[in-house]
Amino acid sequence: MARALVGKVLLHGDHVARIVETEAYLGLADAASHAFRGVTPRTGVLFGPPGHAYVYLIYGMYHCLNIVAEPEGSPGCVLIRALEVEGQPEASGKGPGRLTRAMGITLRQNGADVTRGSLTVHAPSREAKFEVAVSPRIGIKHNVDWPLRFFVAGSRSVSGPRSFNRV
DNA sequence: CAATAGATCATCT
DNA sequence: GATGATCTATTGC
């Protein structure tokens, strides 16, 4: 799922951007996942049906956007790490905290259905040609070596290290 | 480029 | 009461 979401288009209100960087979180099997410790009021949507947004506040000032990726009862999800506005690499959301700010995403979109409503994911109108690269995830303290971060190879809108292995 | 500190709050123990 | 899937600014190579 994380691999497939790279290159898709995210829509929220008037904002449109291409997803250029994602990370996978494996739920109960992944100590880095919020769902690792089981169901809580916050992680409830992770255990719900796929295709819904999981938004949370981190460090008291940034929101992070995830898409639930696995069937109901299975809490796998994909963190959206970076977006690129077409033709405006520098106006893009580079990093999970900045992209939610740029798109106007807050706790209000938590649990939103991403196949309908104001926050949606679409296939790109024009199939862009690009290669997807893989690397370990960023900013976590568990399973640091798992290659679950996916991004558009060579994109300047990607956060963090751009060195990679192709996939 | 690397290391560090500070901002700030919903959520969990 | 502690913590964190972040970002920015600043300092020191």
Side-chain angles (χ1 to χ4, degrees), chain A residues 76-100:
Chain A
C77 71
V78 177
L79 169 69
I80 309 301
R81 277 199 66 86
L83 303 173
E84 177 176 83
V85 178
E86 186 143 6
Q88 303 182 59
E90 292 312 318
S92 310
K94 189 190 294 184
R98 284 168 125 201
L99 78 86
T100 50

Side-chain angles (χ1 to χ4, degrees), chain A residues 23-162:
Chain A
E23 281 180 6
Y25 285 84
L26 306 185
L28 297 174
D30 183 0
S33 168
H34 285 174
F36 181 65
R37 293 167 190 284
V39 189
T40 69
R42 177 176 59 159
T43 59
V45 317
L46 289 176
F47 290 82
H52 286 246
Y54 166 56
V55 183
Y56 65 93
L57 182 67
I58 188 70
Y59 299 124
M61 47 179 67
Y62 296 102
H63 298 275
C64 288
L65 171 66
N66 300 249
I67 310 284
V68 180
E70 292 185 27
E72 192 157 0
S74 189
C77 71
V78 177
L79 169 69
I80 309 301
R81 277 199 66 86
L83 303 173
E84 177 176 83
V85 178
E86 186 143 6
Q88 303 182 59
E90 292 312 318
S92 310
K94 189 190 294 184
R98 284 168 125 201
L99 78 86
T100 50
R101 198 181 57 187
M103 298 291 282
I105 293 167
T106 69
L107 289 180
R108 295 216 321 235
Q109 345 293 332
N110 190 29
D113 186 341
V114 164
T115 64
R116 45 195 281 161
S118 66
L119 176 64
T120 48
V121 177
H122 300 260
S125 51
R126 287 193 311 240
E127 262 308 327
K129 201 172 158 187
F130 59 88
E131 291 193 77
V132 176
V134 192
S135 82
R137 294 176 292 183
I138 293 176
I140 52 172
K141 297 186 171 177
H142 299 276
N143 306 323
V144 169
D145 55 338
W146 290 10
L148 294 178
R149 171 176 174 249
F150 301 86
F151 56 99
V152 175
S155 170
R156 285 198 294 127
S157 300
V158 166
S159 70
R162 308 216 176 87

